[in-house]
């Protein structure tokens, strides 16, 4: 008989947790022993239940998933962690890895890959789905910012804004006059994801309109 892997789920949407639990309960070697709606609850459950694995979302109230993973690793907790998120943001991915997550999957991952990730992590490995792995490899190979737009690599000058490669792509396309919808189609991301990147651009560069964004981008040779 296979050894049972115990799991705690953390997501602020109960329907999401129900779906994941239902999927996992079809496997004889996986058992969900606790559920949390935020990072603080997840940490408390991990300390109380001592599961083998924590599957956790990023954006939750009270404490987000990345901070929860960081706290658990800083405390020397033995639990393995997989981030399961709808966000393919480079910023989230790199922060998750830095926090010590053992895996990162998108919520549209199919069952086969999801189970493969769980078993890989439990056996001591790391698991990042294809798109996520590409972000990690690109970041490793391109520590200086380089962005691809329309199939061409564009080197970016040094700047103090800590923009991700995806944000730099969006910046280039915004300043070329494309709408959020057009950018989402070009980058194969949802319109909501592009809106989030655009919001983060404005926040990080401390501007409030397109004119100031363009001026600052030219000042720091981002375009």
């Amino acid at each position: 008989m296979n050894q049972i892997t115990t799991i705690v789920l953390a997501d602020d949407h109960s329907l999401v947790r129900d779906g994941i639990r239902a999927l996992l309960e079809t496997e004889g070697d996986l058992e969900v022993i606790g559920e949390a709606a935020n990072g603080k609850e997840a940490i408390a459950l991990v300390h109380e239940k001592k599961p083998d694995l924590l599957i956790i979302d990023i954006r939750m109230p009270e404490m987000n998933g990345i901070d929860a993973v960081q706290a658990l690793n800083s405390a020397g907790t033995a639990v393995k962690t997989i981030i399961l998120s709808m966000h393919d943001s480079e910023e989230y991915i790199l922060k998750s890895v830095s926090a010590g997550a053992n895996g990162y999957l998108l919520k549209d991952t199919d069952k086969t890959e999801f189970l493969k990730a769980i078993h890989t992590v439990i056996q001591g490995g790391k698991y990042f789905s294809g798109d996520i792995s590409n972000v990690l490899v690109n970041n490793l190979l391109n520590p200086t910012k380089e962005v691809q737009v329309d199939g061409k690599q564009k080197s970016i000058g040094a700047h103090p804004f800590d923009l991700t490669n995806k944000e730099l792509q969006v910046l280039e396309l915004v300043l070329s006059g494309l709408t959020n919808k057009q950018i989402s189609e070009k980058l194969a991301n949802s319109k909501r994801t592009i809106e989030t990147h655009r919001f983060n651009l404005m926040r990080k560069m401390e501007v409030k309109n397109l004119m100031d964004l363009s001026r600052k981008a030219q000042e720091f040779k981002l375009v």
Side-chain angles (χ1 to χ4, degrees):
M1 183 176 178
N2 293 335
Q3 181 177 347
I4 301 296
T5 295
T6 55
I7 299 172
V8 164
L9 302 177
D11 192 293
D12 58 330
H13 295 97
S14 59
L15 282 176
V16 173
R17 298 197 306 272
D18 290 345
I20 297 172
R21 177 189 279 272
L23 183 152
L24 297 179
E25 286 180 345
T26 64
E27 302 299 306
D29 60 342
L30 304 176
E31 180 185 2
V32 176
I33 60 172
E35 297 183 22
N38 60 63
K40 287 185 177 179
E41 288 182 7
I43 290 173
L45 269 179
V46 167
H47 288 310
E48 176 191 349
K49 304 276 190 179
K50 295 182 170 49
D52 300 307
L53 177 66
L54 169 65
I55 299 174
I56 188 168
D57 189 19
I58 291 180
R59 298 182 67 176
M60 297 182 293
E62 300 290 333
M63 176 185 281
N64 68 54
I66 296 174
D67 287 346
V69 170
Q70 176 76 62
L72 288 168
N73 282 314
S74 295
T77 312
V79 67
K80 306 289 187 182
T81 53
I82 292 178
I83 299 284
L84 183 63
S85 174
M86 64 180 288
H87 301 286
D88 62 353
S89 159
E90 179 180 329
E91 182 177 10
Y92 280 152
I93 295 165
L94 297 178
K95 283 184 177 180
S96 296
V97 172
S98 179
N102 301 102
Y104 192 115
L105 294 172
L106 298 178
K107 285 185 176 178
D108 59 2
T109 298
D110 62 32
K111 178 180 178 179
T112 299
E113 183 172 27
F114 190 25
L115 295 176
K116 180 181 178 182
I118 290 173
H119 290 119
T120 298
V121 167
I122 286 300
Q123 291 165 13
K126 304 277 188 180
Y127 195 96
F128 302 94
S129 58
D131 290 343
I132 306 304
S133 293
N134 290 338
V135 169
L136 298 176
V137 170
N138 288 337
N139 186 263
L140 179 64
L141 296 179
N142 298 293
T144 56
K145 294 295 184 182
E146 194 170 82
V147 60
Q148 187 176 71
V149 177
D150 292 335
K152 298 178 182 179
Q153 291 297 121
K154 179 181 177 67
S155 296
I156 302 296
H159 60 83
F161 308 119
D162 192 30
L163 302 182
T164 67
N165 285 341
K166 182 58 71 71
E167 287 166 353
L168 287 165
Q169 283 184 299
V170 172
L171 174 64
E172 180 87 4
L173 295 171
V174 165
L175 296 183
S176 72
L178 297 187
T179 65
N180 289 344
K181 184 175 186 297
Q182 290 170 324
I183 295 172
S184 72
E185 292 170 352
K186 181 176 284 288
L187 298 183
N189 290 132
S190 70
K191 183 180 176 184
R192 180 178 176 184
T193 296
I194 299 305
E195 289 170 349
T196 299
H197 287 314
R198 190 164 180 162
F199 172 81
N200 287 336
L201 275 171
M202 306 289 274
R203 175 179 58 81
K204 288 181 177 181
M205 294 180 68
E206 299 180 343
V207 297
K208 295 184 178 180
N209 55 57
L210 189 59
M211 183 178 296
D212 287 342
L213 182 68
S214 176
R215 176 186 57 76
K216 211 163 212 180
Q218 291 177 30
E219 179 183 347
F220 286 92
K221 297 181 172 56
L222 301 180
V223 293

